[in-house]
Amino acid sequence: MAMTVEQGTLLEQIRVWKEKRNALILAHNYELPEVQDVADVLGDSLALARAAAKTSADVIVLCGVHFMAETAAILNPDKTVLLPDAEAGCSLADSITADQLRAWKAEHPGAVVVSYVNTSAEVKAESDYCCTSANAVDVVRSIPTDKEVLFCPDMFLGSYVKRMTGRENMHIWLGECHVHAGIAPADIADTLAAHPQAELLIHPECGCSTSNMYLLAEGQLPADRTHVLSTSGMLERAKTSGQDEFIVATEVGILHQMERQNPHKRFIPANRKAVCPFMKMITLEKVLASLVEMRTIISVPVETAQRARIALERMVEIG
């Protein structure tokens, strides 16, 4: 898509103000295409956390959702973290509170808590480990097998991890991402029927992931062309695979990078309605305003941040 004059002006102003502020712009793979294009670092939650942890910039502009900005603030207590739209939240992060997690821990004394990065700072502070979809299996495998594991909040990712690790002493919170939960087994079946030679890329948060793992094991899905992957894994697979057609079961924002990196390949969304409204709230205008006006600053109380940092640093180190 050709850039408009207005977008070109905005990009130039963003570049000017980014230099003035000594700022780093981070953007998630699900953001609007033009926001992805303006980012210094584009990636999934783990990639953004790692970039935030090692930057020398004074200001971090996080183009994503609230928990991502909190993560950057926790890992960089001496830097200013900006979220261009303070209302950009996450339905999955909202599915468990710190009080609920404390009550769950009380029911399982001595259990190790693994929280998906899609959680509030308060929940992370009650956790032993954080993880992303890219390293959740590795994180759980790193825990001694005689330890009970409490995994929260995503039940689909948790079910996938439990299946991959074979861990019977793992308990899973019943939370979900409303966008990924909406990608149903029927979506996969219908799209695969229309594109029988396509490679199938499924995010483990999807509502179809558990059933598709079963169908894969039963031989009802093509074993050599079905892959359960994080967003970063999907992007890598799209580049390295010899296939030229892919069915993509995740939020549709990732298609922009896939098409940009692989112009001669075709990417079909499993469900075209898999759009996260929170991820689409940040615009170029809001990115510029955040730099000019230094808004919205995201900070985490010191005690909460110190406790959450332990779990986050373990996440960054593993996998």
Side-chain angles (χ1 to χ4, degrees):
M1 183 181 295
M3 183 187 302
T4 66
V5 173
E6 181 181 1
Q7 284 180 329
T9 303
L10 280 169
L11 290 174
E12 181 56 35
Q13 290 178 311
I14 289 169
R15 280 192 286 267
V16 169
W17 279 96
K18 187 173 71 169
E19 186 174 343
K20 284 183 180 180
R21 300 296 192 197
N22 186 27
L24 178 76
I25 299 177
L26 306 180
H28 193 272
N29 293 320
Y30 297 158
E31 289 290 302
L32 291 170
E34 59 268 26
V35 174
Q36 293 185 38
D37 292 346
V38 80
D40 298 300
V41 178
L42 178 67
D44 60 9
S45 298
L46 183 58
L48 299 187
R50 285 176 169 154
K54 68 182 183 181
T55 184
S56 60
D58 296 319
V59 175
I60 297 171
V61 181
L62 201 298
C63 300
V65 294
H66 194 271
F67 78 80
M68 296 177 184
E70 278 189 335
T71 298
I74 291 166
L75 293 172
N76 295 274
D78 58 336
K79 300 183 187 302
T80 301
V81 177
L82 305 176
L83 181 62
D85 192 318
E87 299 302 313
C90 174
S91 61
L92 179 55
D94 289 343
S95 68
I96 189 168
T97 66
D99 285 342
Q100 288 173 320
L101 179 52
R102 281 189 286 266
W104 198 28
K105 288 167 64 176
E107 296 172 4
H108 300 274
V112 177
V113 177
V114 178
S115 290
Y116 197 23
V117 71
N118 300 46
T119 47
S120 68
E122 290 79 10
V123 167
K124 289 181 176 72
E126 293 292 332
S127 306
D128 298 295
Y129 293 84
C130 279
C131 71
T132 71
S133 56
N135 71 351
V137 172
D138 290 331
V139 168
V140 172
R141 281 178 175 158
S142 74
I143 298 166
T145 55
D146 62 337
K147 287 284 189 180
E148 272 191 298
V149 173
L150 304 182
F151 188 96
C152 70
D154 189 86
M155 60 183 175
F156 299 115
L157 177 61
S159 295
Y160 171 72
V161 172
K162 187 172 183 176
R163 186 180 183 95
M164 294 300 292
T165 60
R167 193 160 194 137
E168 294 301 323
N169 58 350
M170 180 174 163
H171 308 280
I172 301 166
W173 189 261
L174 297 181
E176 65 180 28
C177 160
H178 72 284
V179 176
H180 279 114
I183 302 176
D187 295 323
I188 300 296
D190 291 346
T191 313
L192 196 56
H195 304 274
Q197 300 306 311
E199 196 160 294
L200 180 57
L201 309 180
I202 305 171
H203 195 284
E205 277 183 45
C206 288
C208 63
S209 62
T210 303
S211 60
N212 280 321
M213 287 295 291
Y214 172 79
L215 293 174
L216 183 61
E218 293 295 308
Q220 296 184 45
L221 288 176
D224 59 333
R225 291 185 282 113
T226 302
H227 307 277
V228 180
L229 299 165
S230 67
T231 53
S232 60
M234 288 182 176
L235 287 164
E236 183 62 23
R237 180 66 193 175
K239 285 190 289 187
T240 59
S241 172
Q243 291 290 119
D244 58 7
E245 190 174 51
F246 300 82
I247 297 167
V248 183
T250 189
E251 209 274 355
V252 297
I254 198 172
L255 299 179
H256 175 64
Q257 282 305 308
M258 288 180 160
E259 291 166 350
R260 185 179 181 185
Q261 294 173 4
N262 308 277
H264 302 298
K265 296 182 179 183
R266 186 183 182 195
F267 300 93
I268 305 112
N271 184 333
R272 295 184 184 277
K273 296 180 180 179
V275 178
C276 175
F278 296 117
M279 284 287 189
K280 307 306 190 231
M281 293 177 74
I282 293 173
T283 62
L284 290 180
E285 289 85 354
K286 291 176 182 178
V287 173
L288 177 60
S290 71
L291 285 165
V292 174
E293 302 171 18
M294 293 295 285
R295 72 175 191 195
T296 299
I297 296 175
I298 302 299
S299 60
V300 178
V302 173
E303 183 180 351
T304 300
Q306 288 175 340
R307 294 171 60 205
R309 190 176 300 118
I310 296 170
L312 281 170
E313 287 176 344
R314 287 171 175 167
M315 175 191 80
V316 172
E317 291 168 2
I318 295 175

